[in-house]
Amino acid sequence: MGRSARSRALAMVTLAYVIAISVAAAWLTWGPGTRRLWLDTLIADLLATCVVFVFSRIHRNSSFYDAYWSVIPPLLLAYWWWQGPIGISGAGALRCWLMALVVGYWAVRLTANWGIGFPGLHHEDWRYPLLRQRAGRFEFLADLFAIHVFPTCQVFVAMLPVYVAATRPGDGLTWLAWLAFAVGVGAVSLELAADTQMRRFVAAGRPGAVMDQGLWGWSRHPNYLGEIGFWFSLALFGISAAPGQVWWLFVGVAVMVAMFLGASIPMMEERSLARRPDYADVIDRVPKLLPRPPRRAPR
């Protein structure tokens, strides 16, 4: 695909997101409020998702949704902080600034990683046609709910600790906010390093080769491990603001872990085994998620 065609495709995706965010903003500004900030933003989030879904259907490419995962969370944080009682310097502001740095770092890294790897609208994530095909005559519903609405709700649930941290005044447990910051920065840096290593491996152009070097020799999915660590850090931010609500603030992390272990990782590994028979040896030597020192390949 030529550079100009790729640029036009990026412009089309950008237009979809500008319209989606504008619809969400219009709802939040002029829509009938529910008097519950979290519910107002959930409705706006779902409306924006529906706009992206329309673009996906028009262009027959559900990868319009790919960047939504990383674009919306910083906007949610910014809106909740703006609408909440803390302000930029009130009690609890330090927690919000630390949280904003972590979420911003994560969003920039993930969106940039998507943009670097974006080949154009001729390409669609291989999982989406598979999901639609498995749904048969219900492919429209699978596209709407499984590929668009469910991930939006999943991310929203995982962002609820951020809502608590951004809207509850008071410094809370400052030491825990700093710990959450360290965990979040470390987790996103792990993702960045893993993606960089994988990009270099792919660029080397060795057909059929398997990646078992660097971080990928310690864990088969270090990028997913980093992603789980990021959402775990957000739960810690929520607990630092409301220690008494610890009983539910890890729900979002649990949902993420369930998705990675129950869907994302099995689908990725099934595909890798089908395309690279040597990947079975990697499965024998390298742990799925939690890292350990690499074992030597048998001679």
Side-chain angles (χ1 to χ4, degrees):
M1 189 178 195
R3 182 175 299 178
S4 61
R6 181 177 182 273
S7 297
R8 288 194 299 270
L10 279 172
M12 182 57 65
V13 174
T14 301
L15 175 64
Y17 281 74
V18 169
I19 295 175
I21 293 169
S22 298
V23 168
W27 168 265
L28 291 172
T29 303
W30 297 296
T34 66
R35 297 186 179 180
R36 292 178 174 84
L37 178 59
W38 69 269
L39 184 55
D40 288 338
T41 47
L42 174 58
I43 295 170
D45 198 0
L46 291 171
L47 290 173
T49 300
C50 289
V51 172
V52 175
F53 173 70
V54 169
F55 274 85
S56 295
R57 298 300 292 188
I58 291 173
H59 292 271
R60 298 181 180 180
N61 189 332
S62 295
S63 279
F64 262 89
Y65 185 81
D66 287 350
Y68 199 85
W69 185 279
S70 56
V71 168
I72 297 303
L75 299 180
L76 289 174
L77 166 57
Y79 186 74
W80 289 336
W81 189 2
W82 175 44
Q83 291 293 311
I86 296 175
I88 61 173
S89 60
L94 173 63
R95 177 178 65 247
C96 291
W97 284 113
L98 293 176
M99 193 163 51
L101 288 173
V102 170
V103 173
Y105 180 25
W106 169 83
V108 169
R109 184 214 69 82
L110 190 52
T111 307
N113 187 63
W114 167 81
I116 291 170
F118 179 72
L121 290 177
H122 67 285
H123 171 80
E124 184 179 33
D125 188 300
W126 60 272
R127 289 167 290 193
Y128 300 154
L130 184 62
L131 287 170
R132 293 195 300 266
Q133 182 181 3
R134 289 177 177 176
R137 61 194 179 98
F138 299 106
E139 68 86 17
F140 178 90
L141 296 178
D143 195 7
L144 174 59
F145 290 102
I147 298 175
H148 291 80
V149 172
F150 179 76
T152 290
C153 293
Q154 181 181 9
V155 170
F156 192 89
V157 169
M159 283 289 292
L160 287 178
V162 173
Y163 175 81
V164 172
T167 60
R168 175 165 296 219
D171 291 326
L173 303 177
T174 303
W175 66 269
L176 188 55
W178 278 107
L179 177 61
F181 175 77
V183 171
V185 170
V188 178
S189 297
L190 173 62
E191 291 183 280
L192 177 61
D195 287 341
T196 301
Q197 291 176 1
M198 180 58 77
R199 192 175 296 113
R200 290 173 179 169
F201 174 78
V202 172
R206 295 187 295 167
V210 294
M211 176 54 156
D212 61 352
Q213 305 298 316
L215 294 170
W216 300 84
W218 289 67
S219 168
R220 299 203 299 275
H221 302 280
N223 52 338
Y224 289 157
L225 178 62
E227 187 72 3
I228 291 171
F230 164 73
W231 295 106
F232 180 80
S233 76
L234 298 191
L236 294 180
F237 275 118
I239 295 168
S240 73
Q245 297 187 33
V246 65
W247 60 274
W248 72 269
L249 287 172
F250 284 111
V251 170
V253 180
V255 170
M256 291 294 178
V257 172
M259 180 194 70
F260 288 128
L261 293 181
S264 298
I265 290 177
M267 291 179 72
M268 290 292 294
E269 301 213 319
E270 180 181 353
R271 187 170 188 257
S272 294
L273 285 169
R275 300 175 67 191
R276 302 175 180 86
D278 289 344
Y279 190 71
D281 174 64
V282 176
I283 291 177
D284 290 338
R285 294 186 292 105
V286 181
K288 179 184 296 185
L289 199 61
L290 297 179
R292 69 162 182 257
R295 295 174 180 172
R296 292 183 178 180
R299 296 181 180 178

